[in-house]
Amino acid sequence: MLDLRRQYEPIRGELLTALEQVLDSRQFVLGEAVAGFERAAAEQLEVAHAIGCASGTDALWLALAGAGIGPGMSVVTTPFSFFASVSSILRAGATPVLADIEPATFNLNPLAAESVLDQQGQAPVRAILPVHLYGQCADWDAFTRLTRERGLMLIEDAAQAWGAEWNGVHAGALGDAAAFSFYPTKNLSAAGDAGLVTTNDSGIAERVRTLRQHGMRRRYHHDELGWNARMDGFQGAVLGVKLKYVRAWNDARRAVAGRYDALFRTAGLAERGPYPSHGVVLPREVSGARHVWHQYVIRTVRRDALREFLTARGIGSEIYYPVPLHMQEALQSLGYREGDFPEAERAAREVLALPIFPELREDEQQRVVAAIVEFLS
Ligand SMILES: Cc1ncc(COP(=O)(O)O)c(C=O)c1O
């Protein structure tokens, strides 16, 4: 599914030098390695502020809390994402309100989001939190229009979308604030847990910097309740090295995705979509988006049997995500039931992520597609 060694080996020397510098400096928490990465990250994303933190989950909480989201407020998001998209809203003290996804992109549907803004009996909605799932931005034109009309904050879960763009603007510079994850499988990844908040709003940036450090502006004077959400120096050093390569890695991912498309089409397996019947529905890049292919996710009807077939042949695959968030045990108190979000539930039954990473070779992709052809015929 993913061979991190192929990324690590060519930059091993550079990484070790950067880690040695952290050891020599003894700045193990934040410090110059993190500050240097923050500056370079902000420059690459063309955004005013980048604030390093301990994980993508912390980044989401910091972005929400930094934007003033808290108790007595609701935030609209998607049921088809990683758990943290919803749990971070709860952590900020607010209430998640879910709306269904678009079947073609798996991203939050702006019309569905609009339809839940004024529901009876919920705390007033103050923000929308779309997720750029699998590396493709949510429909930002529609979300910008909607949030401007309604005076809402717009916050990006960009955990999977380093380098993605919408109409030429980078994910991370699109909303009021954004959260990135550098979990080791991500397009830009740390050697452990790390995350980043980005924003063009200096007020939000200042608040996020304080919240990640126990609400402390002056040493041991705590102005508000924050948390320890700081980035380690080692992670800043690793990320600072990898940042120089991530554009080329994303270009390579785009080439890998293009090769999958061509192989499936040549095999006559590609269906029109958005729903599969006998073949596979291929993921697609929508107009306005620059997809960075964190995942290459097909839809197919006999998904679980296909996955077993691939596993038996030594081919990795993964299901992101098998259980939509409204059906998670830990979120039952939100009061949703099976059937509430049919698109998310159907996607959870049909999606299958195939191996994709910058160094994946064409012959390996041919093997993956040949196995799927064999299964489906
Ligand atoms: C969409 C999404 N949001 C949030 C997160 C949380 O990031 P982390 O695992 O770094 O805490 C992840 C990553 O796993 C993610 O994929």
Side-chain angles (χ1 to χ4, degrees):
M1 188 65 188
L2 172 63
D3 183 358
L4 283 175
R5 201 187 38 201
R6 295 187 203 176
Q7 182 190 84
Y8 169 65
E9 272 170 1
I11 58 171
R12 184 174 179 274
E14 236 183 308
L15 288 172
L16 291 178
T17 304
L19 291 172
E20 205 170 22
Q21 279 166 3
V22 174
L23 281 168
D24 289 344
S25 76
R26 294 172 306 285
Q27 293 185 332
F28 297 122
V29 177
L30 298 175
E32 186 45 40
V34 172
F37 168 66
E38 290 175 338
R39 286 191 296 272
E43 197 175 308
Q44 185 169 115
L45 297 182
E46 298 177 284
V47 68
H49 308 278
I51 303 115
C53 61
S55 69
T57 305
D58 273 345
L60 275 172
W61 163 69
L62 285 166
L64 288 162
I69 301 302
M73 306 175 192
S74 295
V75 177
V76 176
T77 194
T78 164
F80 196 62
S81 181
F82 180 62
F83 186 68
S85 306
V86 164
S87 66
S88 58
I89 296 170
L90 291 162
R91 169 92 192 284
T95 306
V97 171
L98 303 179
D100 215 347
I101 58 167
E102 292 177 327
T105 62
F106 308 102
N107 278 327
L108 181 62
N109 181 335
L111 292 173
E114 185 170 12
S115 75
V116 299
L117 291 180
D118 302 311
Q119 285 179 142
Q120 292 281 313
Q122 73 190 11
V125 173
R126 292 284 186 246
I128 302 183
L129 176 73
V131 179
H132 304 320
L133 201 70
Y134 306 145
Q136 173 158 251
C137 289
D139 181 347
W140 220 255
D141 293 345
F143 283 115
T144 304
R145 216 175 306 120
L146 179 59
T147 50
R148 282 201 185 136
E149 263 169 34
R150 305 287 297 245
L152 306 174
M153 306 290 281
L154 185 52
I155 300 183
E156 304 169 64
D157 182 338
Q160 304 186 0
W162 188 275
E165 293 175 19
W166 183 263
N167 293 336
V169 180
H170 285 102
L174 290 164
D176 293 293
F180 289 94
S181 163
F182 303 126
Y183 183 74
T185 58
K186 297 292 194 270
N187 291 28
L188 175 62
S189 65
D193 277 313
L196 189 79
V197 177
T198 55
T199 178
N200 280 313
D201 182 315
S202 49
I204 294 177
E206 158 69 9
R207 190 136 186 246
V208 167
R209 281 190 193 281
T210 310
L211 287 168
R212 79 170 166 180
Q213 179 99 277
H214 282 300
M216 191 163 67
R217 283 192 180 78
R218 236 179 345 136
R219 205 164 165 76
Y220 302 129
H221 291 71
H222 302 271
D223 303 334
E224 61 178 324
L225 202 59
W227 204 249
N228 173 0
R230 299 172 301 229
M231 185 188 279
D232 283 345
F234 286 136
Q235 303 309 343
V238 168
L239 289 162
V241 170
K242 290 192 178 184
L243 191 64
K244 293 184 274 177
Y245 300 98
V246 67
R247 280 202 188 105
W249 289 335
N250 278 342
D251 288 345
R253 282 176 183 271
R254 290 175 59 81
V256 171
R259 286 203 302 260
Y260 269 135
D261 285 355
L263 288 166
F264 279 117
R265 284 187 210 292
T266 308
L269 280 190
E271 285 189 89
R272 277 186 152 269
Y275 308 113
S277 59
H278 53 280
V280 297
V281 173
L282 305 182
R284 65 186 184 91
E285 183 177 60
V286 299
S287 163
R290 182 175 193 272
H291 201 320
V292 288
W293 300 101
H294 174 55
Q295 300 296 343
Y296 186 91
V297 177
I298 60 169
R299 290 183 88 132
T300 182
V301 181
R302 292 166 56 216
R303 190 267 316 273
D304 292 336
L306 171 60
R307 183 158 192 236
E308 272 176 38
F309 186 85
L310 294 175
T311 305
R313 277 151 190 76
I315 295 171
S317 64
E318 196 46 84
I319 299 166
Y320 305 109
Y321 295 92
V323 182
L325 296 174
H326 65 291
M327 289 162 64
Q328 294 287 351
E329 197 60 43
L331 298 173
Q332 287 313 295
S333 61
L334 297 181
Y336 294 108
R337 275 187 265 129
E338 186 167 359
D340 283 348
F341 305 108
E343 294 294 354
E345 290 168 29
R346 183 166 185 171
R349 289 192 299 271
E350 294 179 348
V351 292
L352 189 66
L354 302 181
I356 188 163
F357 52 96
E359 304 82 8
L360 188 67
R361 296 191 311 266
E362 184 159 7
D363 62 299
E364 293 170 317
Q365 291 188 264
Q366 282 165 348
R367 249 188 80 208
V368 175
V369 175
I372 297 173
V373 171
E374 191 189 340
F375 175 81
L376 289 172
S377 56

